[in-house]
Amino acid sequence: MIRETGQHWDVFDQHWYYGSGGRWAYFNLNDWRKEVESVNQTRKLADFKRWKEQYNMNHLEFSYMEWNAPPVNLTDDSNPATISYSMLGLIQADMLMFFAKNDIHMATAWPMMWEVPGNDTDLSKYNRNLLDRDDSNWLSPSATIFQAFSYVQNGEILENDNNPDSGLRVLTVKRKENKGYAVLVLNKSSNDQTIEMVLPDGVNTVTDGGHFSEGVGPHNVQINNLSPELNENKVYVTIEGTSFAFMLFE
């Protein structure tokens, strides 16, 4: 497509519903924990970039116009057999961090709101929707994670020295309009981990933070404020196993 017709189009659309083992509707929690860098998707992006350069089609962009966690009807050998709201949010955070790190041109979560005629969604069960068409008060617990990513829109992705072998995916961002910095952390391991963050000179305030994990809150998702102490330009914070956290600094 790139070689023969690349001059006639602008954006390549890849659909990605997260699974493991390259199988549709199959999910294994242990496989997800190990895959910190989304190897298959990274390879696709590298191929796309290489072919663009090879055939002088550098105007082309890569997008994910449908993306989300696996569907409800997982395969019989999936482990776990279903995905909870907390796991759904963590998979979504994982994918969003991948998009940001790799400068994806465009991505659309599927679905924001899904209508099935005559069959209302049971909100007590697994539900990939962010909104419900019949209950304007219902908002998916994942909205907390999407809000965290809203803070870093149009920001500058910064390098960090995180070792992916730790099981952590870390996104560090200089926010737009001199609004400070943001650090997003996904702990894909099952162990709590204490991390050290060394911030630029002049940063002396933690302005906001949140922590998302399985717990006793609505839909068995626990969402807590996170406000670690900043000592000079360093912060030490413990991220629970299998959880997502964000922190904003000025």
Side-chain angles (χ1 to χ4, degrees), residues 208-238:
D208 200 359
H211 186 262
F212 180 104
S213 62
E214 185 173 0
V216 297
H219 304 296
N220 297 318
V221 173
Q222 189 71 36
I223 301 171
N224 293 324
N225 293 329
L226 186 63
S227 55
E229 181 179 351
L230 198 156
N231 186 2
E232 294 183 350
N233 66 332
K234 291 184 179 180
V235 171
Y236 295 89
V237 61
T238 298

Side-chain angles (χ1 to χ4, degrees), residues 16-126:
W16 181 21
Y17 295 91
Y18 187 89
S20 48
R23 295 164 51 189
W24 172 246
Y26 172 76
F27 180 77
N28 184 288
L29 180 57
N30 290 328
D31 291 345
W32 178 80
R33 291 193 193 283
K34 295 175 185 175
E35 190 183 55
V36 176
E37 292 300 333
S38 306
V39 176
N40 289 336
Q41 298 300 321
T42 300
R43 185 185 306 117
K44 290 178 181 179
L45 289 172
D47 287 343
F48 186 79
K49 181 179 180 180
R50 176 168 53 87
W51 292 328
K52 285 198 317 178
E53 294 174 350
Q54 181 178 350
Y55 300 112
N56 195 27
M57 299 290 178
N58 290 308
H59 66 284
L60 298 179
E61 300 282 4
F62 199 101
S63 69
Y64 290 90
M65 298 308 294
E66 286 189 24
W67 70 270
N68 212 317
V72 177
N73 52 328
L74 294 174
T75 59
D76 292 338
D77 56 342
S78 292
N79 181 22
T82 59
I83 296 178
S84 65
Y85 277 103
S86 59
M87 196 68 235
L88 169 67
L90 297 180
I91 293 171
Q92 291 173 335
D94 195 14
M95 299 174 80
L96 282 166
M97 294 174 86
F98 176 84
F99 299 153
K101 177 182 176 182
N102 289 280
D103 194 25
I104 297 302
H105 177 67
M106 190 183 308
T108 304
W110 185 97
M112 301 292 284
M113 182 168 56
W114 187 248
E115 180 175 348
V116 181
N119 183 17
D120 291 349
T121 302
D122 183 350
L123 302 183
S124 66
K125 297 180 179 178
Y126 169 74

Side-chain angles (χ1 to χ4, degrees), residues 168-206:
L168 299 178
R169 190 192 281 276
V170 179
L171 187 68
T172 47
V173 181
K174 182 178 181 180
R175 300 177 67 196
K176 66 177 182 179
E177 298 174 354
N178 296 318
K179 291 183 178 179
Y181 297 84
V183 178
L184 281 61
V185 182
L186 174 65
N187 187 355
K188 299 183 76 168
S189 77
S190 58
N191 300 319
D192 296 357
Q193 299 201 48
T194 299
I195 62 174
E196 178 191 66
M197 290 176 283
V198 181
L199 300 163
D201 292 339
V203 176
N204 53 30
T205 305
V206 181

Side-chain angles (χ1 to χ4, degrees), residues 116-145:
V116 181
N119 183 17
D120 291 349
T121 302
D122 183 350
L123 302 183
S124 66
K125 297 180 179 178
Y126 169 74
N127 179 1
R128 287 187 297 174
N129 298 358
L130 289 180
L131 310 167
D132 182 68
R133 68 185 179 95
D134 295 323
D135 183 355
S136 61
N137 294 316
W138 188 86
L139 191 62
S140 168
S142 294
T144 300
I145 284 173

